[in-house]
Amino acid sequence: MPGGVLPGSYVAAAPSPISLDPGSRRMLVDGAPVALTPLEFRLLTALLRGNGRVVTREDLRSGLGEWAGNRSRSVDLRIHRIHRIRRKLGPRAAALLTTERGVGFRLRATATPAESG
């Protein structure tokens, strides 16, 4: 079928501008390295593992492991790091990291049509 998509086939989504290299513990945004603290790296890893789904505060708490005083308020203090990560991502990639008010955070691989156009 010229110019069409055959049933059962798919068109691959554009690659994400954000990638993590666990071996070197680096984040790349559009191929350029961006410095992260160890905690920011762990937060971003947890968000990427969410694969576009909302990651709750509780998910982040359990995903980050134990640290001194990891009670609810301590999680809140560490969550502010997500806002620092957003600034480090730059405008295009930062649009992929959204706050789902009262629930958690979502990191999508690509922008939604409303954001991209």
Side-chain angles (χ1 to χ4, degrees), residues 60-109:
L60 288 173
R61 182 191 345 249
S62 63
L64 293 176
E66 296 297 320
W67 63 79
N70 75 345
R71 299 295 177 251
S72 181
R73 185 67 186 139
S74 290
V75 170
D76 289 340
L77 294 173
R78 281 159 174 80
I79 293 304
H80 87 279
R81 293 291 180 119
I82 290 177
H83 304 294
R84 287 182 57 187
I85 292 169
R86 192 177 279 127
R87 285 193 303 268
K88 290 180 177 186
L89 292 175
R92 183 171 95 89
L96 303 177
L97 176 55
T98 57
T99 301
E100 303 297 329
R101 206 158 189 77
V103 181
F105 301 90
R106 179 190 318 261
L107 182 61
R108 295 181 315 278

Side-chain angles (χ1 to χ4, degrees), residues 18-30:
I18 303 168
S19 63
L20 289 181
D21 180 356
S24 65
R25 299 189 64 80
R26 289 188 326 162
M27 174 176 68
L28 300 174
V29 176
D30 291 324

Side-chain angles (χ1 to χ4, degrees), residues 22 27 35 41 47-48 53 79-80 101 112:
M27 174 176 68
F41 186 87
L47 291 168
L48 283 169
R53 293 183 304 275
I79 293 304
H80 87 279
R101 206 158 189 77
T112 62

